[in-house]
């Protein structure tokens, strides 16, 4: 699959294709070891590293101007190299050399795919996307994710996880453990975009100024982006709204959104493989291979890919979880259930059932009732003109 660099990167592209062309047999080498030392390629994710430059937007603007012909063969790669290394002059000079050299050899050549698109082009008929409708995903509670398709799921773990991706727009969530073994909750979100980095922590939301990102809404917790994307929430819960242009282009814990596949690939892992997982009594997959194969594939451990610092979001080991969530240990479980059923927001709403389960898992009513009210209010800010194919899947028998 293409990465945001408009071509494959890392993953099996590196390990299966590129490294198959690595020359290690001394009898086949044309360089000496001194001229070209052999090293080990680290395991790479399928997406290149996110820019860590302090002045990323200023640097991007300069690179767009100075990296040679904007429609040329080397321009886009030059821009990405500048943003990856935070060095402008080196790559601008190299690109000018590359353009001059290419001009010497490009007569009478055929190049069938002169400039491949960033992702596979949408075919006119079979992708079935209604791009006039936005899509939305939510993560709340301990945590519960309602995917873009609307399927419930319950990814746990400790550390930084990729919640939602569309192109260069990435949302990461921090999962931290609670007192009940194996159960987690959200503790902050970071949104990485072409316009800069947005962080949502206990101190509130921090956004870059002067780039078109704005905070709005009745409670000033809804953040809008220049492309029409929105996020709304706080440190514990977040709803992510992408425009219809992201149809068939999403990934992360929020899942794939592919009408052409009848949404069969919701749980596509970070390697691009997908399968379904059985529902637990929480009306969505939990633990087992759902956690170890799907959810933990989206855990971010490579420092170059992290959007949180380790201090902000400590990395921990996910214990092996059964396919069913823990049984309530509350002394007054039926009384607590009755109160939760009444107080956990709209009984037919997006967050009600998960709130009830959180109350019974932790024996704490007020915390989850208050969080659910926040999550409902935040979702109300972003749920206009969205499509949710599987609004409320039935629980498995």
């Amino acid at each position: 699959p293409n990465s945001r660099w408009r071509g494959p990167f890392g993953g099996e592209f590196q390990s299966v294709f590129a490294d198959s062309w690595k020359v290690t047999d001394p009898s086949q080498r044309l360089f000496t070891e001194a001229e070209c030392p052999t090293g080990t390629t680290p395991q790479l994710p399928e997406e290149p590293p996110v820019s860590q430059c302090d002045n990323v937007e200023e640097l991007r603007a300069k690179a767009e101007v100075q990296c040679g012909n904007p429609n040329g063969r080397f321009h886009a790669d030059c821009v990405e190299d500048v943003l990856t290394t935070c060095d402008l002059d080196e790559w601008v000079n190299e690109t000018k050399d590359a353009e001059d050299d290419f001009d010497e050899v490009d007569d009478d050549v055929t190049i069938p795919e002169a400039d491949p698109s960033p992702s596979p082009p949408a075919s006119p008929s079979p992708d079935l996307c209604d791009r006039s409708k936005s899509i939305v995903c939510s993560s709340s509670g301990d945590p519960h994710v309602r995917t873009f398709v609307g399927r419930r799921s319950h990814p746990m773990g400790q550390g930084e996880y990729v919640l939602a991706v569309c192109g260069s727009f990435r949302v990461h969530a921090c999962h931290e453990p609670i007192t009940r073994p194996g159960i987690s909750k959200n503790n902050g979100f970071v949104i990485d975009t072409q316009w800069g980095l947005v962080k949502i922590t206990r101190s509130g939301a921090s956004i870059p100024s002067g780039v078109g990102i704005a905070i709005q809404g009745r409670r000033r917790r809804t953040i809008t982006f220049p492309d029409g994307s929105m996020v709304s929430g706080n440190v514990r819960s977040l709803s992510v709204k992408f425009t219809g242009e992201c149809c068939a282009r999403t990934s992360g814990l929020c899942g794939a959104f592919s009408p052409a596949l009848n949404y069969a690939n919701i749980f596509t892992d970070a390697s691009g493989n997908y399968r379904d997982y059985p529902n637990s009594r929480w009306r969505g997959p939990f633990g087992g291979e759902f956690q170890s194969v799907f959810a933990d594939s989206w855990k971010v451990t490579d420092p170059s890919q992290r959007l949180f610092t380790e201090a902000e979001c400590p990395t921990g080991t996910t214990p092996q979880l059964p396919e069913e969530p823990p049984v309530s240990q509350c002394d007054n479980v039926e009384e607590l259930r009755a109160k939760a059923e009444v107080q956990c927001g709209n009984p037919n709403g997006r967050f009600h059932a998960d709130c009830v389960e959180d109350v019974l898992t932790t024996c704490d009513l007020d915390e989850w009732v208050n969080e659910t009210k926040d999550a409902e209010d935040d979702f109300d800010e972003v749920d206009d003109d969205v499509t949710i194919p599987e609004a409320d899947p039935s629980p498995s028998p």
Side-chain angles (χ1 to χ4, degrees):
N2 283 347
S3 71
R4 69 173 187 277
W5 278 4
R6 290 188 275 186
F9 173 96
E12 291 188 348
F13 167 75
Q14 181 67 44
S15 62
V16 177
F17 171 71
D19 284 345
S20 74
W21 293 107
K22 186 173 183 177
V23 185
T24 55
D25 181 347
S27 67
Q28 300 293 313
R29 295 196 65 176
L30 304 182
F31 289 96
T32 66
E33 180 64 19
E35 292 170 331
C36 184
T38 302
T40 302
T41 306
Q43 186 172 358
L44 297 171
E46 290 188 357
E47 284 291 340
V50 175
S51 178
Q52 301 295 318
C53 308
D54 294 332
N55 55 340
V56 61
E57 292 309 320
E58 177 184 350
L59 203 56
R60 184 191 299 275
K62 290 181 179 179
E64 291 286 354
V65 172
Q66 298 183 40
C67 275
N69 179 359
N71 299 314
R73 188 181 185 89
F74 306 100
H75 181 270
D77 294 331
C78 171
V79 173
E80 296 299 346
D81 291 341
V82 170
L83 297 180
T84 301
T85 63
C86 310
D87 187 319
L88 179 68
D89 293 340
E90 176 182 3
W91 303 107
V92 166
N93 291 334
E94 179 176 315
T95 297
K96 289 178 179 176
D97 286 344
E99 286 186 334
D100 288 343
D101 295 332
F102 185 69
D103 286 343
E104 297 288 338
V105 298
D106 67 345
D107 293 333
D108 300 318
V109 298
T110 179
I111 306 175
E113 192 175 352
D115 189 11
S117 303
S119 55
S123 52
S125 53
D127 82 353
L128 304 179
C129 288
D130 180 0
R131 292 188 170 80
S132 68
K133 294 288 187 181
S134 297
I135 56 177
V136 64
C137 169
S138 304
S139 178
S140 64
D142 64 356
H144 310 283
V145 171
R146 290 293 289 264
T147 68
F148 286 115
V149 172
R151 178 82 181 273
R152 279 189 169 95
S153 65
H154 313 282
M156 300 294 145
Q158 180 181 357
E160 182 171 341
Y161 284 79
V162 178
L163 179 62
V165 177
C166 175
S168 62
F169 196 112
R170 304 176 67 84
V171 183
H172 288 195
C174 179
H175 290 187
E176 69 172 17
I178 63 175
T179 53
R180 194 74 191 268
I183 303 298
S184 309
K185 65 180 179 182
N186 290 316
N187 188 30
F189 301 90
V190 181
I191 301 100
D192 182 43
T193 74
Q194 62 181 296
W195 307 282
L197 209 65
V198 171
K199 283 197 172 185
I200 300 174
T201 65
R202 294 188 184 280
S203 303
S206 61
I207 66 173
S209 60
V211 293
I213 300 175
I215 297 180
Q216 61 181 39
R218 181 170 57 85
R219 298 195 302 169
R220 305 288 294 167
R221 296 196 337 193
T222 301
I223 302 170
T224 61
F225 298 85
D227 67 346
S229 299
M230 303 172 70
V231 300
S232 187
N234 61 12
V235 68
R236 295 288 296 275
S237 65
L238 192 75
S239 288
V240 179
K241 181 178 183 178
F242 286 153
T243 70
E245 292 302 315
C246 288
C247 178
R249 296 177 57 207
T250 64
S251 59
L253 296 180
C254 280
F257 186 93
S258 302
L261 296 177
N262 198 26
Y263 309 107
N265 64 334
I266 297 173
F267 299 121
T268 300
D269 63 32
S271 297
N273 301 312
Y274 65 85
R275 51 175 279 196
D276 201 7
Y277 297 90
N279 283 347
S280 69
R281 71 171 187 279
W282 279 3
R283 291 187 277 184
F286 172 96
E289 291 190 345
F290 167 75
Q291 181 68 42
S292 62
V293 176
F294 170 71
D296 284 344
S297 78
W298 292 108
K299 187 172 183 176
V300 186
T301 55
D302 181 347
S304 68
Q305 299 291 312
R306 294 199 66 178
L307 303 181
F308 290 95
T309 65
E310 179 66 17
E312 291 171 330
C313 186
T315 302
T317 304
T318 305
Q320 186 171 359
L321 298 172
E323 289 188 357
E324 285 293 338
V327 175
S328 178
Q329 301 294 318
C330 308
D331 294 332
N332 55 341
V333 61
E334 291 309 319
E335 177 185 350
L336 203 54
R337 182 190 301 275
K339 290 181 178 179
E341 291 286 354
V342 172
Q343 297 182 40
C344 276
N346 179 358
N348 299 314
R350 189 178 183 87
F351 306 99
H352 181 270
D354 294 331
C355 171
V356 172
E357 297 299 347
D358 291 341
V359 170
L360 298 180
T361 300
T362 62
C363 310
D364 187 321
L365 179 68
D366 292 341
E367 176 182 7
W368 302 109
V369 166
N370 292 333
E371 179 176 317
T372 297
K373 290 178 180 176
D374 286 342
E376 286 185 334
D377 288 343
D378 294 329
F379 183 69
D380 286 345
E381 297 285 342
V382 299
D383 66 347
D384 294 332
D385 299 318
V386 299
T387 179
I388 305 174
E390 193 177 345
D392 192 10
S394 300
S396 291

